[in-house]
Amino acid sequence: MKITYTGVGLFWIWLFVNTFTLSAQEKLELSGKIRVLEPVELRLENIKGEVLQKTMVKNNNPFSLQACKMIGWGWVVSTGGWIEKGGVLGAAIGFVIGGIMIFFVGMTYAELTAAMPQCGGEHVFSYKAMGSTGSFICTWMIILGYVSVACFEACAFPTIITYLWPGFLKGYLYTVAGFDIYASWLIVAIVVAFLIMMINIIGAKTAAILQTVLTCIIGGAGILLIIASVINGTVDNLDGQMFAGSSAGLNVKAIIGVAALSPFYFIGFDVIPQAAEEINVPAKKIGSILILSVVLAVVFYALVIVAVGLVMGPQAIVDSEQATGLVTADAMAAAFNTKIMAKVIIVGGMCGIVTSWNSFLLGGSRAMYSMAESYMIPKFFAKLHPKHKTPINALILIGSLTMLAPFAGRKMLVWISDAGNFGCCVAYCMVALSFIILRKKAPDMPRPYKVPAYRFFGAMAVIMSGFMVAMYCIPGSGGSLITQEWGIVLAWCALGVVFFAFCKKKYKESFGTLVELISDEDAATLMPEADEVELDKVIDAAIDRVLARKAS
C-alpha cells in the first residue's frame, strides 16, 4: 500500500511529542514496540510493532477457514436430538430462526469488520462504542464461546473413535454423570488436543492448509447424505414427526427451544474479525464472505435435518438415539443400505471436529492477545512465539483447558456448549449495540462495506440476540441453563473479574488505552481503497485523541 510522506511525518510528530510526555517506562516500551517500514509501504501493524505471523497474513482461502467453523461435528452427533426436540420441520424452522438472528448480527459484523479489520474483532468494535469496560465484558464473553467449542471438540473426538472401534475403551477409571471414563478415552483426547494446540502455535498458514482439505471432506459427507435421502428416502417417514408438539402452542415452544440452542452450531461466523489481519482480501469483501458463510450454514443444517427425516421414521430415530446417539450416521447407513457409509459420514464429522477445534483456538487466542495488548488482561498473554510470532501463552491456556475438559466425561459436551452459547449471545448483543452506537458516534468513519437501513438491521440484531440471552436465563423457557452450566459461566466471569481488577490496579490509566490507537492506524493502513486524504484524516484524529488524553 502506498502512502504519502505527510502521513509518515504526522506519525513521527506524534511519536516525538509522546517521547516528552510519556513516563520513562512508557518511553522504553514504545521505543521497542513501534516500527515504521519504508514510506512506500507503511504498515502500522500494531503497537507491538511485529507482524503476528507473516504466514498468517497470506491466507488466500478465507472462505474455507470461515465456513468450516460453523459446520463441525454437531450436525453428525446432534441431529437426532434436534428432531426429537422440535420434529423434522420444527427443527428446520428453529434453525432458520436462529440463522436469521445470526444473519442480522452478521450484518453488523460485516460493516464493523470491513471498517476495522485489525486483529481483535469484538474487542475493538465494543471499545470504540462503549469504552474499555464494555469492551472487556464483550471480549471476555466471546472468548468463553470460543473456549467452549474447543472443549466440546476435545470431548467429542474420542466419542466418535468409540463408535468406529467399540473395543477402543480400555482401563476404566471413574464415572461422571452416568458416563464411564476410560484411560484410552482420556489419552486420545489429551494427545489430539495437544497436537491441535501445536498446529496453531506453528501458525495459521499450516492451519489454513489443514482447514481447506478437511472442509472438502465435511461438505462432501453432508452432500452425500442429502443426495441419498432424495433418491432413497420417502416423505412417508415424515408422518408423525413433522413437529414434536401435540398442539400449536407446544409446537411453537418446541421450535423456540431449537432456535435457542441453534446459535452454538452457528458459532464461527464471528471468528473472521479475530483473524482479519491474516486474510489477504480487500476489506469490502470481508462482509460478503461473512454473510455468505452464514447463509450456507443455515441451508446446510436445514437440509441435513430434512434428509435424516426422509430416511428414518420416528421410531427408527428414537432407537438410534438410544443405541448409538449418532442418528445422522445411522441415517447415512440406511440411505445407502450399508454400514460402510455410516463410517464415511463419521470420518467427515471427525474432520469437522478438527476444523472447528482449530478455528476456535485461533479466534480465542487472538482475542486474548488483543486484550493483553490493551492492558485489559495480564501482559503475559501478549507474548509471541519467538519464531512463529503466534500468541503462545494464550494458546497454551486455551489448549490446557481443552486437555482438562475430557476429564468431566461426555456430559461436558452439553454443559460447555450451553455455557458457551450464553457467552456468545451476550457478546453478539453487545456488538449489535456497538454497531448502532458507532453510526451515531462516528458517522464519518470510513466504511468499505456499509449496511443499508442500519436502524432496522441493528435493532433486529439487538432484539433477537437479547431474546436468546433471555431464553437462557428464564426457567422453563426451553433453553434455560442448568446448575452445572451456570457454574461454568460464573467461574469464567469470576476469572474475568480477577483479571479486570488486577489490570485496573496495575496498569491504571493504561487500561484499554492502546485499543483506539491500534484501531485507527490499522483501519487506515489495511483499507486498500484509502487515499492519502482519508489516511491523513484518520491518523490526525488518532494523534489528537492521544495528545488530548495525555494532556488531561
Side-chain angles (χ1 to χ4, degrees), residues 164-223:
L164 290 173
W165 296 284
F168 158 74
L169 296 176
K170 302 292 183 182
Y172 170 79
L173 297 175
Y174 54 90
T175 301
V176 175
F179 178 73
D180 295 336
I181 296 176
Y182 291 82
S184 57
W185 198 86
L186 284 177
I187 290 171
V188 167
I190 293 170
V191 169
V192 175
F194 178 79
L195 291 176
I196 295 294
M197 180 183 72
M198 292 306 300
I199 287 173
N200 277 271
I201 289 175
I202 291 172
K205 183 176 182 179
T206 304
I209 295 172
L210 178 66
Q211 298 282 90
T212 302
V213 174
L214 297 185
T215 299
C216 294
I217 298 175
I218 297 166
I223 291 170

Side-chain angles (χ1 to χ4, degrees), residues 79-410:
T79 304
W82 301 341
I83 293 174
E84 285 189 340
K85 190 177 186 69
V88 174
L89 185 57
I93 292 173
F95 265 82
V96 170
I97 293 172
I100 291 172
M101 185 273 282
I102 296 297
F103 171 76
F104 282 115
V105 174
M107 289 292 283
T108 67
Y109 269 88
E111 177 173 303
L112 294 172
T113 302
M116 296 170 280
Q118 62 283 349
C119 187
E122 295 90 346
H123 179 55
V124 177
F125 306 160
S126 53
Y127 178 87
K128 290 185 75 71
M130 303 177 182
S132 58
T133 300
S135 178
F136 184 96
I137 295 171
C138 180
T139 312
W140 194 244
M141 295 308 285
I142 201 69
I143 294 173
L144 170 60
Y146 297 159
V147 171
S148 73
V149 176
C151 292
F152 178 95
E153 309 300 8
C155 297
F157 193 87
T159 301
I160 63 171
I161 297 295
T162 304
Y163 184 93
L164 290 173
W165 296 284
F168 158 74
L169 296 176
K170 302 292 183 182
Y172 170 79
L173 297 175
Y174 54 90
T175 301
V176 175
F179 178 73
D180 295 336
I181 296 176
Y182 291 82
S184 57
W185 198 86
L186 284 177
I187 290 171
V188 167
I190 293 170
V191 169
V192 175
F194 178 79
L195 291 176
I196 295 294
M197 180 183 72
M198 292 306 300
I199 287 173
N200 277 271
I201 289 175
I202 291 172
K205 183 176 182 179
T206 304
I209 295 172
L210 178 66
Q211 298 282 90
T212 302
V213 174
L214 297 185
T215 299
C216 294
I217 298 175
I218 297 166
I223 291 170
L224 278 176
L225 172 61
I226 294 167
I227 293 174
S229 70
V230 173
I231 297 173
N232 299 323
T234 171
V235 293
D236 293 340
N237 285 328
L238 298 177
D239 291 341
Q241 61 173 350
M242 291 292 284
F243 295 96
S246 57
S247 66
L250 291 176
N251 286 337
V252 170
K253 184 176 180 180
I255 291 172
I256 291 175
V258 175
L261 63 84
S262 66
F264 180 79
Y265 301 95
F266 289 112
I267 295 175
F269 79 92
D270 52 297
V271 176
I272 192 170
Q274 307 301 341
E277 286 175 325
E278 305 163 18
I279 296 176
N280 191 28
V281 295
K284 62 173 62 179
K285 291 186 179 180
I286 294 175
S288 300
I289 292 171
L290 190 153
I291 294 169
L292 179 61
S293 297
V294 172
V295 172
L296 290 180
V298 172
V299 172
F300 182 85
Y301 282 133
L303 288 179
V304 165
I305 292 169
V306 174
V308 171
L310 288 173
V311 172
M312 301 178 71
Q315 190 57 49
I317 290 177
V318 171
D319 293 342
S320 176
E321 188 73 15
Q322 293 176 349
T324 65
L326 300 178
V327 175
T328 311
D330 290 336
M332 189 76 157
F336 285 91
N337 198 29
T338 173
K339 289 288 186 181
I340 294 177
M341 295 308 295
K343 295 189 176 182
V344 168
I345 203 167
I346 287 175
V347 171
M350 187 184 298
C351 295
I353 288 178
V354 175
T355 54
S356 56
W357 193 343
N358 174 70
S359 298
F360 288 102
L361 272 178
L362 173 69
S365 64
R366 272 52 176 185
M368 292 194 72
Y369 172 85
S370 297
M371 293 187 77
E373 275 293 280
S374 304
Y375 298 96
M376 289 184 176
I377 62 175
K379 291 291 286 182
F380 172 82
F381 295 108
K383 180 181 177 181
L384 299 179
H385 189 281
K387 178 181 179 181
H388 303 295
K389 298 298 182 290
T390 49
I392 183 170
N393 289 339
L395 282 168
I396 289 175
L397 173 64
I398 298 175
S400 298
L401 292 175
T402 63
M403 286 184 265
L404 288 174
F407 284 89
R410 190 186 297 171

